[in-house]
């Protein structure tokens, strides 16, 4: 049932999941209640466009520094727009602006930014860099993608899955492709929330065992099934949704040729979609490379869910900012 804007304020104010001033570096550090709270607030923000309701404007505008070592469309624009909708301000720092760890030590960047801004979002090559930022900052740090994990993507993915979930049946998600940052975040988020996830990755490109083990432990508590399959056909069988991501992530460009060869049998194409449950939909975090990990046809046929996923980055990240920074 929809809640009023006043009830939404109370929900954020109460902070029953303990989000205030917390980092969001890895989903492995979060409780199920924290993940669920982001989703709950996001749903209310999305409904009736409450996301830019004047009652939710910050009376004392907050500022977010966005440190990006890699390119971005979705993450940058959804964070900047979230801050604008709440009448706060985002400061975008492009890869060459700061020279994180090169011009200046990560520790000094974290300490200095903490004297000006209310929070830091960072997109980094090495996960240890965002961990270091969190260690040395005195303001909350949000992982805007690292080589290991993409937690803010997973919030939007789960919201989309919940919106399109079949009535009355536990959700089953399949993933085909690289065992990368996006899959790591999905493994934790899905297992925490009772969503089953079967993944097929080529030998040598499986997810990090620590993520798989954690996910299997959470799944034992929530009743989800977390499984690595030998083939994409096995993974998609009876799935309600099929997810894929690029074969070559940012920072792996030199491996592109070899990856294109290895991943070819893992492509999300029309034939693979027919093996999923009737009415199954496709998901992709984007950017997508048509003709590589996903065909033009699947991309076009499932544009609606894939763009909904992108839209949900805005609602979930706005919810996260409200919960971390308060009202
Ligand atoms: N999905 C995602 O994070 O997109 P960007 O790289 O464009 O931010
Ligand atoms: N796995 C991809 C995700 C991009 C949003 C990458 O890291 O480049």
């Amino acid at each position: 049932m929809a809640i009023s804007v006043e009830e939404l304020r109370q929900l954020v104010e109460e902070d029953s999941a303990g989000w205030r001033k917390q980092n969001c570096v890895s989903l492995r550090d979060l409780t199920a209640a924290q993940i669920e709270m982001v989703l709950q607030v996001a749903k209310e923000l999305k409904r009736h466009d409450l996301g830019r309701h004047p009652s939710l404007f910050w009376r004392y505008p907050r500022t977010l520094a966005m440190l990006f070592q890699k390119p971005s469309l979705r993450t940058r624009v959804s964070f900047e727009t979230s801050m604008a909708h709440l009448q706060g301000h985002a400061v975008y720092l492009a890869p060459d602006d700061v020279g994180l760890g090169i011009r200046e030590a990560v520790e000094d960047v974290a300490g200095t930014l903490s004297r000006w801004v209310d929070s830091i979002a960072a997109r980094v090559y090495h996960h240890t860099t965002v961990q270091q930022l969190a260690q040395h900052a005195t303001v909350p740090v949000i992982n805007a993608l690292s080589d290991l994990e993409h937690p803010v993507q997973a919030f939007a993915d789960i919201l989309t899955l919940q919106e399109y979930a079949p009535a009355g049946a536990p959700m089953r998600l399949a993933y085909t492709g690289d065992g990368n940052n996006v899959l790591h975040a999905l493994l934790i988020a899905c297992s925490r929330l009772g969503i089953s996830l079967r993944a097929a990755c080529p030998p040598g490109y499986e997810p990090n065992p620590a993520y798989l083990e954690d996910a299997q432990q959470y799944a034992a508590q929530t009743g989800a099934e977390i499984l690595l399959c030998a083939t994409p056909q096995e993974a998609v069988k009876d799935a309600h949704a099929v997810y894929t991501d690029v074969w070559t992530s940012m920072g792996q460009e030199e491996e592109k040729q070899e990856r294109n060869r290895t991943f070819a049998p893992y492509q999300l194409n029309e034939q693979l979609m027919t093996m999923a449950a009737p009415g199954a939909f496709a998901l992709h975090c984007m950017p997508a490379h048509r003709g590589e990990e996903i065909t033009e046809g699947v991309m076009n046929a499932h544009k609606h869910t894939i763009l909904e996923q992108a839209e949900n980055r805005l609602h979930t990240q706005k919810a996260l900012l409200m919960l971390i920074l308060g009202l």
Side-chain angles (χ1 to χ4, degrees), residues 148-163:
L148 197 60
E149 208 181 308
H150 197 0
V152 290
Q153 178 67 52
F155 292 133
D157 298 342
I158 301 292
L159 179 57
T160 316
L161 284 170
Q162 291 180 341
E163 287 173 338

Side-chain angles (χ1 to χ4, degrees), residues 63-214:
T63 305
L64 174 73
M66 298 174 34
L67 273 171
F68 276 48
Q69 289 186 323
K70 299 172 178 178
S72 168
L73 172 69
R74 278 145 291 272
T75 308
R76 176 183 175 178
V77 178
S78 51
F79 267 122
E80 287 199 17
T81 306
S82 295
M83 291 301 290
H85 284 178
L86 297 170
Q87 305 265 289
H89 185 69
V91 182
Y92 173 68
L93 297 156
D96 291 337
D97 287 345
V98 177
L100 192 61
I102 302 164
R103 180 171 181 265
E104 201 164 350
V106 173
E107 174 178 349
D108 294 338
V109 173
T112 308
L113 283 176
S114 299
R115 297 295 179 110
W116 298 319
V117 303
D118 299 290
S119 182
I120 301 168
R123 168 165 286 198
V124 299
Y125 281 100
H126 304 296
H127 189 72
T128 49
T129 306
V130 68
Q131 286 176 320
Q132 254 181 297
L133 280 169
Q135 188 189 338
H136 295 289
T138 55
V139 296
V141 171
I142 299 170
N143 179 357
L145 179 147
S146 70
D147 56 349
L148 197 60
E149 208 181 308
H150 197 0
V152 290
Q153 178 67 52
F155 292 133
D157 298 342
I158 301 292
L159 179 57
T160 316
L161 284 170
Q162 291 180 341
E163 287 173 338
Y164 289 86
M171 187 75 197
R172 287 190 302 273
L173 175 66
Y175 179 96
T176 177
D178 194 13
N180 61 14
N181 45 9
V182 167
L183 179 57
H184 291 157
L186 278 174
L187 279 167
I188 302 300
C190 287
S191 59
R192 274 283 201 196
L193 301 187
I195 298 171
S196 292
L197 172 55
R198 291 183 173 193
C201 310
Y205 297 91
E206 296 93 347
N208 180 311
Y211 278 81
L212 200 57
E213 278 165 31
D214 271 13

Side-chain angles (χ1 to χ4, degrees), residues 28-41:
R28 294 167 77 197
D29 303 332
L30 304 182
T31 62
Q34 284 176 317
I35 300 173
E36 277 160 3
M37 183 57 74
V38 171
L39 297 167
Q40 190 184 349
V41 172

Side-chain angles (χ1 to χ4, degrees), residues 213-284:
E213 278 165 31
D214 271 13
Q216 275 159 348
Q217 274 182 17
Y218 294 137
Q221 295 157 20
T222 60
E225 180 202 49
I226 299 291
L227 202 63
L228 267 195
C229 298
T231 65
Q233 290 75 17
E234 195 187 323
V236 304
K237 193 172 176 300
D238 298 327
H240 301 115
V242 187
Y243 197 126
T244 194
D245 182 21
V246 291
W247 293 337
T248 303
S249 284
M250 292 178 278
Q252 300 170 333
E253 287 76 8
E254 282 177 10
E255 302 169 25
K256 187 169 170 63
Q257 271 196 340
E258 188 188 327
R259 284 174 168 268
N260 278 1
R261 271 195 302 273
T262 309
F263 283 97
Y266 293 78
Q267 186 187 57
L268 180 51
N269 53 36
E270 287 79 349
Q271 204 197 352
L272 194 64
M273 281 307 294
T274 63
M275 296 179 192
F281 57 92
L283 292 175
H284 194 309

